[in-house]
Amino acid sequence: MFFTLQISTLLYTLPLLLLDVTLCLYFYLYLPMKLLGGNAENLDAEIEQLLNAEKHARLAGNVAATRNAVTEILRLCFEARAWDTLNDQIVLLSKRRGQLRQAVTAMVQQAMQYIDETPDVKTCISLIETLNSVSAGKIYVEIERARLIKKLAKIREEQGLIDEAADLMQEVAVETFGAMAKTEKIAFILEQVRLCLDRQDYVRAQILSKKINERVFDADVSKEKKKPKEGDNVVEEAPADIPSLPELKRIYYELMIRYYSHKNDYLEICRCYKAIYEIPSVKENPAEWIPVLRKICWYLVLSPHDPMQSSLLNSTLEDRNLSEIPNFKLLLKQLVTMEVIQWTTLWDSYNDEFENENNLGRNLGEAAKDLKERVIEHNILVISKYYARITLKRLAELLCLSVQEAENHLSDMVVSKALVAKIDRPMGIVCFQRAKDSNDVLNSWAVNLERLLDLVEKSCHQIHKETMVHKAALKG
């Protein structure tokens, strides 16, 4: 019984084995010899023979033979420069019943190599659109489709159709592609952000930028696992034209500087320049880090006073490289020193430096106005440290402003909660002390009594100690 089953199984599989051997011999021996004598005139006949061979291989489930057949058809069309036939064959082969996914993948990958060989832009766009339609909805060629769309968007951008290029790129969500390399994902998203900024779609640019976690740029590439475990997704290698992770970091923060410059968010712009400054390739080259450090100093001065700005200011002052630009070190020291800054003196000292700085806000006029606002805010904070109560007239004199302007600036700071103050307009007095309720008063009294009792106890102890010392001296 056992031998009968073995013989029947052998008789059943023998025709399939013979078919695989026949197809392999056809593709590896007979077909190359036949195609050597081929030319453009009998292209249709050769394609027809290959289509028949592809049909037999596909129905037999022979992956290698089917892949060889479809790629050979594309090669014949490419060598004959029959671009329309190439597009037709790609669509025809992809729609054949039960077509193997390995054959479709090989066909798309080979056809992508012909894109740069197309004679004109129209033919190039036609081939890309054909491949896009074939790869649409197929998860096993999603990476190829993303690369095709990126190429098509680049062509549209060169033609001046930025809106169309941005719409094409937004159709692809590469963050869901598990097999795509991390650097290629980041580069694709950054291209999406750039096109949105070029078309001034700042809301969508912000949404797309949130897909990139800033901590990914600080990851240690050497510690990443090289060989995936069994069952893990195999991650493809990024193309050669994809920038490295530090270069992508710089591109990302330069794009974010463009976005925050639109909003005139000086503190976020400063954080972006700070991140660029920390890139090793930038920090090692003085020609690169000196302009970046200058930008950091200017945007720190232009930023409104808050805890993050104060933290960045102190950390920048501790940087040793700041000694290479002493003027800016002196500028930052004036902001941390509790002294009133004379605006006219400051502006005369840094007017030339300020005007020579490029890309400082939307325009230099607005930036100079904001700089004066920051100096006034600093002076008000200094005055609030030294005065509990001050007249509006004296406050205006210290700020070199009119009484109305001083009151407006003080009110703005109170509204933004940068300062606690109250103005008695009939008396013309500003009070910087926070009003205390009954609980706060009682708590302060309790603290003061506790301190007083501690002081009395320490005094009694010292008196008792001195008394014992003198008694011991008298007995001796």
Side-chain angles (χ1 to χ4, degrees):
M1 184 67 179
F2 176 75
F3 292 105
T4 306
L5 290 174
Q6 291 291 331
I7 292 172
S8 62
T9 305
L10 182 61
L11 291 175
Y12 175 75
T13 56
L14 186 60
L16 297 178
L17 293 172
L18 291 174
L19 179 60
D20 289 347
V21 172
T22 304
L23 291 172
C24 290
L25 290 174
Y26 178 79
F27 281 109
Y28 291 107
L29 297 177
Y30 173 69
L31 185 59
M33 295 175 62
K34 179 178 178 60
L35 293 176
L36 288 174
N39 50 45
E41 296 178 357
N42 58 356
L43 177 64
D44 293 338
E46 292 175 355
I47 290 176
E48 188 66 29
Q49 291 182 1
L50 285 168
L51 288 175
N52 291 331
E54 184 272 338
K55 178 181 178 181
H56 292 297
R58 173 167 43 84
L59 294 178
N62 192 323
V63 176
T66 309
R67 189 192 300 120
N68 289 335
V70 297
T71 54
E72 200 63 38
I73 292 172
L74 299 189
R75 189 185 67 81
L76 284 175
C77 296
F78 170 70
E79 291 181 352
R81 293 299 188 267
W83 299 106
D84 293 336
T85 307
L86 176 64
N87 291 331
D88 295 338
Q89 291 301 322
I90 291 173
V91 175
L92 175 65
L93 291 169
S94 65
K95 290 184 177 180
R96 285 200 149 187
R97 182 172 61 88
Q99 185 59 273
L100 303 177
R101 63 170 59 186
Q102 294 89 343
V104 176
T105 304
M107 179 175 61
V108 172
Q109 290 175 350
Q110 180 166 347
M112 287 177 64
Q113 300 175 7
Y114 302 152
I115 292 176
D116 296 332
E117 304 293 332
T118 50
D120 51 33
V121 177
K122 184 178 179 181
T123 307
C124 179
I125 293 175
S126 176
L127 180 56
I128 292 175
E129 289 178 346
T130 301
L131 293 173
N132 275 337
S133 63
V134 168
S135 58
K138 297 180 176 65
I139 195 171
Y140 48 89
V141 286
E142 59 185 4
I143 297 178
E144 286 77 10
R145 185 169 185 270
R147 293 169 182 170
L148 287 167
I149 288 179
K150 188 176 180 180
K151 286 187 176 183
L152 182 58
K154 186 177 181 180
I155 294 172
R156 294 303 186 192
E157 184 183 7
E158 292 173 353
Q159 293 176 343
L161 305 174
I162 297 178
D163 292 343
E164 186 176 344
D167 292 337
L168 283 170
M169 292 290 287
Q170 290 165 20
E171 294 177 359
V172 186
V174 293
E175 64 274 8
T176 62
F177 295 177
M180 181 179 278
K182 180 171 63 176
T183 53
E184 189 174 1
K185 284 184 187 179
I186 297 172
F188 195 94
I189 296 173
L190 290 178
E191 191 68 14
Q192 292 176 325
V193 175
R194 185 187 65 81
L195 287 171
C196 288
L197 290 174
D198 289 344
R199 72 188 295 192
Q200 298 183 353
D201 188 355
Y202 296 101
V203 175
R204 196 177 297 275
Q206 184 190 24
I207 294 172
L208 291 169
S209 67
K210 295 294 183 183
K211 295 180 179 181
I212 300 176
N213 191 344
E214 295 180 0
R215 288 180 294 181
V216 76
F217 297 115
D218 301 324
D220 191 356
V221 182
S222 61
K223 293 183 179 179
E224 294 182 357
K225 54 184 181 180
K226 300 295 182 182
K227 295 181 179 180
K229 296 180 181 179
E230 187 176 354
D232 292 349
N233 291 330
V234 178
V235 179
E236 293 189 6
E237 292 290 335
D241 59 340
I242 298 298
S244 62
L245 207 57
E247 293 172 350
L248 290 172
K249 179 179 181 179
R250 181 163 191 164
I251 295 171
Y252 169 77
Y253 283 108
E254 286 175 351
L255 291 174
M256 297 315 299
I257 288 170
R258 286 182 57 188
Y259 169 73
Y260 289 120
S261 296
H262 168 71
K263 300 172 63 178
N264 261 18
D265 193 340
Y266 296 123
L267 187 58
E268 290 298 329
I269 297 173
C270 177
R271 287 182 62 249
C272 293
Y273 275 115
K274 190 79 172 176
I276 295 174
Y277 177 72
E278 296 297 333
I279 298 175
S281 61
V282 175
K283 212 162 187 179
E284 293 171 0
N285 187 2
E288 292 190 20
W289 65 255
I290 287 178
V292 175
L293 190 56
R294 288 168 59 95
K295 286 281 196 307
I296 292 173
C297 295
W298 276 125
Y299 283 111
L300 273 174
V301 176
L302 291 169
S303 302
H305 179 78
D306 67 358
M308 184 178 291
Q309 186 262 359
S310 179
S311 176
L312 284 173
L313 184 60
N314 290 313
S315 64
T316 306
L317 273 171
E318 294 174 359
D319 192 347
R320 295 180 180 178
N321 291 335
L322 195 61
S323 58
E324 299 292 331
I325 44 177
N327 290 341
F328 289 88
K329 186 174 184 179
L330 180 62
L331 176 63
L332 296 186
K333 278 188 175 180
Q334 292 185 56
L335 291 179
V336 297
T337 305
M338 286 291 104
E339 295 181 2
V340 174
I341 301 174
Q342 295 294 329
W343 164 249
T344 53
T345 306
L346 180 72
W347 183 247
D348 291 340
S349 301
Y350 292 94
N351 185 14
D352 295 336
E353 294 275 3
F354 191 82
E355 291 180 351
N356 292 333
E357 201 70 42
N358 296 325
N359 303 323
L360 202 62
R362 282 178 287 189
N363 56 71
L364 284 177
E366 291 291 330
K369 187 177 179 181
D370 291 335
L371 178 61
K372 187 176 182 180
E373 293 277 343
R374 300 292 89 81
V375 172
I376 293 172
E377 288 180 4
H378 168 80
N379 292 339
I380 292 176
L381 288 172
V382 171
I383 293 169
S384 68
K385 297 291 183 182
Y386 288 101
Y387 288 88
R389 300 171 74 236
I390 188 174
T391 61
L392 270 174
K393 183 178 179 182
R394 178 58 179 161
L395 178 65
E397 290 176 358
L398 292 173
L399 298 176
C400 300
L401 299 172
S402 65
V403 174
Q404 185 62 40
E405 289 175 340
E407 184 178 344
N408 291 338
H409 286 291
L410 183 62
S411 302
D412 292 339
M413 292 186 67
V414 172
V415 170
S416 63
K417 297 183 180 180
L419 184 70
V420 176
K422 285 188 177 182
I423 302 175
D424 186 351
R425 280 187 171 177
M427 298 294 295
I429 295 175
V430 180
C431 180
F432 293 108
Q433 290 181 335
R434 185 188 298 271
K436 297 182 179 179
D437 58 7
S438 57
N439 291 329
D440 293 334
V441 174
L442 290 174
N443 289 334
S444 64
W445 286 355
V447 171
N448 291 336
L449 285 174
E450 186 177 356
R451 290 177 181 174
L452 179 61
L453 292 175
D454 289 340
L455 183 60
V456 170
E457 184 178 357
K458 289 180 181 179
S459 301
C460 292
H461 177 70
Q462 292 292 334
I463 293 171
H464 181 67
K465 182 179 177 181
E466 291 293 329
T467 304
M468 295 298 293
V469 170
H470 283 288
K471 283 183 180 180
L474 291 173
K475 287 180 181 178

